[in-house]
Amino acid sequence: MTHFEKAPAKINLSLDVLGKRNDGYHDVEMIMTTVDLADRIELNTIQEDRIEVSLWSRYVPNDERNLAYKAAKAFKTKYNITKGVHIKIEKVIPVSAGLGGGSTDAAAVLRGLNKLWEMNIPTAELAALGATLGSDIPFCVYGSTGIAKGYGEIIEPLPSPPPFWVVLAKPDIGVSTRTIFQRVKMDEIIHPNTEGVIEALYNKNFAMLCEMIGNSLEPITISIHPEVQRIKEKMMLAGARGVLMSGSGPTVYGLVEQESKAQRIYNSMKGFCEEVYLVRLIG
């Protein structure tokens, strides 16, 4: 038995840090939407009770440290499954980029095993299982567009943004989310206008959305990696309307309405930045 599952990347339209919890995590409020840059997951049942992961990436482990492996293990343990699974991951999403690459792979494994083994588990239950593994996984289980609260485990759906193009530019650095959160000082946090982003989504108002997007972690990442600021400035200069760092970075995205303009911005970023992608919104 084989099942294929698409694992799309996410971008943050807003990311707010509300406070530090007793367990060391932070309470967040994040509006995310999925883009058409996706890893591909192939799941095959094996009769032996084990989990195998195969992928070609010098940055991602293929053993029990891999989030997709952890997701399969959590799924098998929770539902007492003695069959095994071979997980093949075709990586397209850049690693440690703020685009949820590891989280979306784990979410795709949860969704995929549910279908492969015909378990009929509700999405909310899969998302709750994902929350035990990582704070972006519950959103990635649902996909589309939504707001994540708590440490990421509470998901509420939101209307999809108006259709537009997204230029993604990632400098040749990886950023550890944990490192960025360790540098959060609550009295210095700049809070984005989350309500404004929600209103723009309900009104399908592109101009308002570009005005309202914001990310509390952006100044922290820029203080360590000033090249993120340079990419932002270059992208604004090239004509992108809404420009923001996604997640804990370092990927910067630009929102563009017209395809021809998006193509021009993509071309001008190509000579300036290691990895550049031109994608559509699917959220």
Side-chain angles (χ1 to χ4, degrees):
M1 285 161 70
T2 301
H3 177 76
F4 293 96
E5 194 75 26
K6 194 175 173 181
K10 61 82 183 169
I11 57 170
N12 292 79
L13 299 175
S14 76
L15 193 164
D16 196 3
V17 184
L18 304 179
K20 192 155 187 190
R21 301 151 58 104
N22 296 332
D23 59 10
Y25 287 98
H26 287 81
D27 273 314
V28 293
E29 217 170 46
M30 307 183 285
I31 297 176
M32 294 178 275
T33 191
T34 42
V35 297
D36 200 13
L37 177 73
D39 293 344
R40 190 165 181 263
I41 310 289
E42 181 185 327
L43 301 169
N44 284 288
T45 301
I46 49 180
Q47 290 316 309
E48 300 83 35
D49 186 1
R50 68 171 189 272
I51 298 161
E52 301 168 349
V53 177
S54 64
L55 78 160
W56 187 89
S57 169
R58 56 196 172 130
Y59 303 113
V60 183
N62 65 350
D63 53 22
E64 60 278 356
R65 293 169 298 166
N66 185 297
L67 262 180
Y69 182 108
K70 289 179 181 177
K73 188 176 181 196
F75 190 95
K76 276 171 47 62
T77 303
K78 182 165 174 70
Y79 301 109
N80 302 314
I81 290 162
T82 53
K83 289 177 284 201
V85 63
H86 181 93
I87 305 165
K88 184 181 175 194
I89 304 173
E90 285 179 34
K91 284 302 288 175
V92 176
I93 304 167
V95 177
S96 300
L99 299 172
S103 299
T104 192
D105 291 352
V109 166
L110 295 175
R111 286 195 310 270
L113 290 179
N114 193 26
K115 292 172 193 153
L116 180 70
W117 292 333
E118 298 174 340
M119 304 282 288
N120 298 319
I121 297 152
T123 306
E125 198 175 308
L126 293 178
L129 182 58
T132 63
L133 304 168
S135 58
D136 279 343
I137 298 174
F139 168 76
C140 292
V141 168
Y142 285 99
S144 200
T145 305
I147 184 166
K149 299 178 180 178
Y151 64 86
E153 83 282 15
I154 303 159
I155 308 293
E156 294 166 13
L158 286 170
S160 301
F164 50 73
W165 293 83
V166 184
V167 181
L168 299 167
K170 179 192 175 285
D172 193 16
I173 50 174
V175 169
S176 150
T177 303
R178 180 174 294 165
T179 305
I180 302 303
F181 270 103
Q182 280 168 352
R183 292 180 179 234
V184 167
K185 296 188 178 79
M186 283 317 300
D187 53 347
E188 293 176 12
I189 281 284
I190 301 160
H191 299 285
N193 188 340
T194 307
E195 286 306 312
V197 175
I198 293 170
E199 192 181 327
L201 290 173
Y202 273 100
N203 293 331
K204 295 263 186 275
N205 186 327
F206 178 76
M208 183 183 181
L209 186 65
C210 292
E211 286 291 305
M212 293 299 169
I213 56 174
N215 183 341
S216 291
L217 300 179
E218 190 181 75
I220 302 170
T221 303
I222 285 171
S223 71
I224 310 168
H225 301 291
E227 53 265 60
V228 173
Q229 180 64 30
R230 288 197 288 275
I231 290 172
K232 278 195 76 176
E233 287 163 5
K234 172 83 176 162
M235 209 180 270
M236 286 178 204
L237 212 61
R241 285 288 292 280
V243 179
L244 191 70
M245 184 186 84
S246 184
S248 55
T251 303
V252 171
Y253 67 81
L255 307 179
V256 193
E257 272 186 299
Q258 301 87 6
E259 184 180 3
S260 56
K261 190 177 185 183
Q263 191 68 53
R264 280 202 309 277
I265 296 168
Y266 168 80
N267 291 339
S268 71
M269 295 308 294
K270 274 298 268 191
F272 187 74
C273 198
E274 185 80 4
E275 294 180 75
V276 188
Y277 304 88
L278 177 57
V279 295
R280 294 298 312 252
L281 275 187
I282 54 175

